[in-house]
Amino acid sequence: MENWNDERMDELSRRMDAGFEKAATKVELTAVKGEMNLRFGEVDKRFDRVEGQLDRINSRLDYMLGGMFLAGAGLLANLLADKL
Protein backbone atom coordinates (compact mmCIF):
# COMPACT_ATOMS: atom_id res chain seq x y z
CA MET A 1 0.00 0.00 0.00
CA GLU A 2 2.92 2.40 0.64
CA ASN A 3 4.23 2.02 -2.93
CA TRP A 4 0.85 2.87 -4.35
CA ASN A 5 0.59 6.01 -2.25
CA ASP A 6 4.12 7.15 -3.16
CA GLU A 7 3.45 6.61 -6.87
CA ARG A 8 0.15 8.47 -6.65
CA MET A 9 1.81 11.34 -4.80
CA ASP A 10 4.55 11.52 -7.45
CA GLU A 11 1.93 11.58 -10.19
CA LEU A 12 0.01 14.30 -8.37
CA SER A 13 3.22 16.29 -7.98
CA ARG A 14 3.98 16.00 -11.71
CA ARG A 15 0.44 17.03 -12.61
CA MET A 16 0.60 20.02 -10.30
CA ASP A 17 3.97 21.06 -11.73
CA ALA A 18 2.55 20.84 -15.25
CA GLY A 19 -0.45 22.91 -14.17
CA PHE A 20 1.78 25.59 -12.65
CA GLU A 21 3.86 25.71 -15.84
CA LYS A 22 0.69 26.31 -17.86
CA ALA A 23 -0.44 28.98 -15.41
CA ALA A 24 2.92 30.74 -15.66
CA THR A 25 2.65 30.59 -19.43
CA LYS A 26 -0.77 32.25 -19.30
CA VAL A 27 0.60 35.00 -17.07
CA GLU A 28 3.53 35.51 -19.42
CA LEU A 29 1.21 35.64 -22.43
CA THR A 30 -0.98 38.18 -20.68
CA ALA A 31 2.08 40.32 -19.95
CA VAL A 32 3.27 40.06 -23.56
CA LYS A 33 -0.21 40.94 -24.81
CA GLY A 34 -0.26 44.02 -22.58
CA GLU A 35 3.17 45.09 -23.80
CA MET A 36 2.12 44.59 -27.43
CA ASN A 37 -1.00 46.71 -26.89
CA LEU A 38 1.15 49.52 -25.44
CA ARG A 39 3.55 49.39 -28.37
CA PHE A 40 0.76 49.30 -30.94
CA GLY A 41 -0.75 52.29 -29.15
CA GLU A 42 2.52 54.16 -29.67
CA VAL A 43 2.57 53.15 -33.35
CA ASP A 44 -1.00 54.42 -33.74
CA LYS A 45 0.01 57.77 -32.22
CA ARG A 46 2.90 58.04 -34.67
CA PHE A 47 0.64 57.26 -37.61
CA ASP A 48 -1.80 59.91 -36.39
CA ARG A 49 1.04 62.45 -36.39
CA VAL A 50 2.14 61.37 -39.86
CA GLU A 51 -1.45 61.57 -41.09
CA GLY A 52 -1.68 65.14 -39.78
CA GLN A 53 1.54 66.06 -41.57
CA LEU A 54 0.29 64.49 -44.80
CA ASP A 55 -2.93 66.48 -44.52
CA ARG A 56 -0.91 69.71 -44.24
CA ILE A 57 1.23 68.74 -47.24
CA ASN A 58 -1.92 67.89 -49.19
CA SER A 59 -3.46 71.30 -48.47
CA ARG A 60 -0.22 73.04 -49.49
CA LEU A 61 -0.16 71.10 -52.76
CA ASP A 62 -3.78 72.10 -53.36
CA TYR A 63 -2.83 75.78 -52.93
CA MET A 64 0.17 75.32 -55.21
CA LEU A 65 -1.96 73.63 -57.87
CA GLY A 66 -4.49 76.45 -57.69
CA GLY A 67 -1.72 79.01 -58.08
CA MET A 68 -0.28 77.14 -61.05
CA PHE A 69 -3.73 76.98 -62.65
CA LEU A 70 -4.22 80.72 -62.19
CA ALA A 71 -0.75 81.46 -63.56
CA GLY A 72 -1.41 79.23 -66.58
CA ALA A 73 -4.79 80.82 -67.17
CA GLY A 74 -3.20 84.28 -66.96
CA LEU A 75 -0.44 83.26 -69.37
CA LEU A 76 -2.99 81.81 -71.79
CA ALA A 77 -5.13 84.94 -71.56
CA ASN A 78 -2.03 87.08 -72.20
CA LEU A 79 -1.09 85.02 -75.28
CA LEU A 80 -4.64 85.15 -76.65
CA ALA A 81 -4.87 88.91 -76.05
CA ASP A 82 -1.52 89.38 -77.83
CA LYS A 83 -2.80 87.53 -80.92
CA LEU A 84 -5.90 89.70 -81.19
Side-chain angles (χ1 to χ4, degrees), residues 26-36:
K26 287 181 183 178
V27 169
E28 290 170 359
L29 288 176
T30 302
V32 168
K33 182 179 176 183
E35 184 179 343
M36 286 176 60

Side-chain angles (χ1 to χ4, degrees), residues 66-82:
M68 290 173 59
F69 179 74
L70 286 175
L75 181 61
L76 183 62
N78 191 13
L79 288 174
L80 288 176
D82 198 33

Side-chain angles (χ1 to χ4, degrees), residues 2-15:
E2 281 183 28
N3 271 346
W4 182 82
N5 285 336
D6 287 343
E7 289 174 10
R8 294 291 290 164
M9 291 298 286
D10 289 341
E11 179 188 348
L12 177 61
S13 177
R14 284 191 298 274
R15 289 175 62 193

